[in-house]
Amino acid sequence: MADNKLNFTKRQLDTLPLPESGKRIYFYDTKIAGLGISITASGTKTFIVYRKVNGKPERIMLGRYPTLSIEQARSKAAEVNLLITKGDNPNDKRRALRNEITLEQLFNEYIERYAKFHKKTWKADKEQFERHLKEWAKRKLSLIRKIDIQKLHHEIGRKSGYYAANRLLALLSIVFNKAIDFGLYEKLNPVQGIKKFKEKSRDRFLQSNELPQFFQALAEEPNETIRDYFIISLLTGARRANVLAMKWTQINFEQAEWRIPETKNGTPQIITLSEEALLVLKNRKETINSEYVFPGTGNSGHLVEPKKGWRRILTKANIGDLRIHDLRRTLGSWQAKTGASLSIIGKSLNHKSPNTTAIYARLDLDPVRESVEKATNAMLVAAGLKENSNVITLKKTKI
């Protein structure tokens, strides 16, 4: 090592000899203790600090020459030496970072150890990750800073809307909380303190003047499964996932009821079926050979993604700014229009609210049934499919 000591200058470093193929040689600076330069056979030159730390030799990488200048290397080496005198080993942090898990690894842990057991929407969480966090998949957890999440939140808010941005923020928050619980992250949750966008509550539903063209578009929809799915969604006000997975065994035609074993709220729900909803279901049962009311070709066995059909129907009806979930809101809105109380609406839609849950629990289905049928009747009258209280069957309208 003594023979390889020299005063680092640009001229000296530029003219240093190269080692044999497959080997390295080292030269050390006479001004800063431990500062050296590693040279490969290809001519790559890297500044290092070679010192004993806690009795063990350590080679600490500083950077490539000439990207890192001699003066910069000396300054960095001095900082490293100061750390070593304090008992710190700069390589420990690098080893820890190298062994640290990535965001993708953490997310997989979250899905397998928590989400699959506690969240019915865990598949939606995976979709969010694929849509918004794929570029961060290989990033180490300690390299994900609060400012990075804030920038991402604002970017998604600008591109995809405030609702999508806030849902991602909520997902990241719970993922990092679980990382802390699992012992995989020892810092504060980086999402903590980031303010969500203020969301406007959505009050969109099918208006009186939109119902005729909506039902006409449904009547002309060539895919009967898509057509009937949206009719049942509207007439029951049930959540999208529940309608998609509806089974014949859950339907009691005699009592005109559909029993959902478990909803998003984690509770069962009994939905009353109007005469029109029963007619659609009876017609389907005559032709469907599946355990599901709306069968599909995928692994689930039932219809999974009706968005293309939804766009087709809205285009045909010339209706804009209407989401599938707005069908659920449509039933509730028409119940309110026809005089139903908030308690009745909450019971029929299975809302879960601390202020009203006790009231919902005491309600029986008779007033709920009356309210749903009244709202259904009003919608069909507005659509021109019924006159007063006389039922015009859906068969006659091709729906």
Side-chain angles (χ1 to χ4, degrees):
M1 179 172 173
D3 294 339
N4 285 1
K5 279 203 166 190
L6 50 94
N7 179 25
F8 282 1
T9 64
K10 187 176 187 308
R11 182 178 178 182
Q12 286 271 25
L13 297 190
D14 289 343
T15 57
L16 288 173
L18 302 181
E20 298 176 7
S21 178
K23 294 187 177 182
R24 290 175 184 266
I25 55 174
Y26 297 90
F27 293 88
Y28 295 91
D29 188 31
T30 55
K31 288 190 173 182
I32 299 293
L35 175 61
I37 191 163
S38 162
I39 307 175
T40 66
S42 63
T44 299
K45 298 173 182 178
T46 307
F47 286 115
I48 64 165
V49 170
Y50 183 76
R51 294 286 304 274
K52 282 190 176 182
V53 183
N54 299 323
K56 296 180 180 180
E58 288 279 1
R59 187 173 284 117
I60 301 153
M61 310 294 288
L62 299 181
R64 291 279 176 87
Y65 172 80
T67 303
L68 190 68
S69 71
I70 295 172
E71 288 308 311
Q72 288 171 330
R74 283 173 172 157
S75 177
K76 277 194 167 188
E79 291 174 4
V80 168
N81 285 334
L82 181 60
L83 287 173
I84 292 173
T85 60
K86 292 179 179 180
D88 294 333
N89 185 344
N91 276 344
D92 286 346
K93 290 184 179 179
R94 296 180 183 180
R95 293 186 186 108
L97 182 61
R98 192 163 53 243
N99 296 329
E100 187 180 350
I101 67 170
T102 63
L103 180 62
E104 184 175 44
Q105 290 170 324
L106 168 61
F107 187 77
N108 290 336
E109 288 284 321
Y110 156 78
I111 290 292
E112 296 301 325
R113 295 174 61 178
Y114 174 78
K116 284 187 176 180
F117 299 101
H118 301 281
K119 294 186 69 178
K120 290 185 174 296
T121 57
W122 65 269
K123 289 184 179 178
D125 288 350
K126 292 187 74 171
E127 290 174 3
Q128 276 204 79
F129 185 90
E130 291 295 322
R131 189 181 308 116
H132 299 303
L133 295 171
K134 200 62 180 176
E135 291 184 2
W136 287 15
K138 304 304 178 185
R139 192 179 294 191
K140 302 290 189 178
L141 296 188
S142 63
L143 299 181
I144 299 175
R145 303 170 301 166
K146 184 174 184 176
I147 191 171
D148 299 325
I149 298 174
Q150 285 176 320
K151 287 180 179 178
L152 180 64
H153 181 232
H154 280 272
E155 182 181 348
I156 294 172
R158 180 173 54 83
K159 291 182 178 179
S160 304
Y162 290 173
Y163 181 86
N166 287 345
R167 297 295 78 72
L168 180 67
L169 199 64
L171 176 61
L172 277 173
S173 180
I174 191 173
V175 167
F176 272 98
N177 278 338
K178 290 305 164 188
I180 295 169
D181 291 345
F182 297 156
L184 301 174
Y185 191 75
E186 297 180 351
K187 299 181 180 180
L188 290 176
N189 189 325
V191 180
Q192 187 175 333
I194 299 178
K195 290 185 178 180
K196 292 182 178 181
F197 292 117
K198 187 175 181 180
E199 298 176 24
K200 292 182 179 179
S201 58
R202 187 172 172 85
D203 56 4
R204 182 74 167 95
F205 64 96
L206 280 167
Q207 304 291 330
S208 300
N209 64 328
E210 294 175 320
L211 284 168
Q213 62 254 40
F214 181 75
F215 274 100
Q216 185 60 38
L218 284 176
E220 296 174 5
E221 168 58 37
N223 187 318
E224 292 185 0
T225 297
I226 290 292
R227 178 198 68 193
D228 292 349
Y229 166 77
F230 289 125
I231 294 173
I232 294 299
S233 296
L234 175 61
L235 298 185
T236 64
R239 292 182 175 89
R240 169 176 165 169
N242 294 133
V243 182
L244 288 171
M246 177 190 276
K247 292 183 177 181
W248 294 114
T249 54
Q250 299 169 356
I251 300 170
N252 187 321
F253 286 97
E254 291 183 2
Q255 295 184 19
E257 292 175 358
W258 167 28
R259 181 177 178 82
I260 303 173
E262 190 176 4
T263 64
K264 178 183 178 181
N265 292 337
T267 59
Q269 180 186 6
I270 297 178
I271 292 180
T272 63
L273 298 171
S274 64
E275 185 177 348
E276 289 76 15
L278 280 172
L279 180 58
V280 172
L281 293 171
K282 287 176 180 177
N283 288 341
R284 287 193 66 77
K285 192 165 178 59
E286 292 176 2
T287 59
I288 299 299
N289 184 24
S290 169
E291 65 174 317
Y292 292 103
V293 177
F294 304 105
T297 57
N299 294 332
S300 67
H302 59 72
L303 182 65
V304 173
E305 187 47 81
K307 283 185 179 178
K308 287 184 179 179
W310 181 246
R311 287 195 294 267
R312 191 165 58 240
I313 289 167
L314 291 187
T315 300
K316 187 80 174 177
N318 194 28
I319 295 174
D321 188 33
L322 192 72
R323 303 172 186 169
I324 296 174
H325 188 76
D326 293 336
L327 295 180
R328 173 174 166 83
R329 188 179 293 108
T330 294
L331 179 64
S333 299
W334 279 87
Q335 284 179 273
K337 273 189 173 187
T338 51
S341 68
L342 293 179
S343 300
I344 292 292
I345 296 170
K347 178 71 173 180
S348 60
L349 298 182
N350 197 35
H351 285 161
K352 192 173 184 180
S353 167
N355 298 325
T356 54
T357 300
I359 298 175
Y360 295 162
R362 292 197 297 270
L363 292 174
D364 62 36
L365 291 178
D366 289 338
V368 173
R369 183 187 304 280
E370 181 183 354
S371 172
V372 170
E373 289 180 350
K374 195 173 182 180
T376 297
N377 182 70
M379 283 191 289
L380 295 178
V381 169
L385 299 178
K386 294 181 74 172
E387 295 178 2
N388 299 324
S389 60
N390 298 321
V391 175
I392 295 178
T393 65
L394 295 177
K395 280 185 176 180
K396 290 183 180 179
T397 61
K398 297 183 181 179
I399 296 181

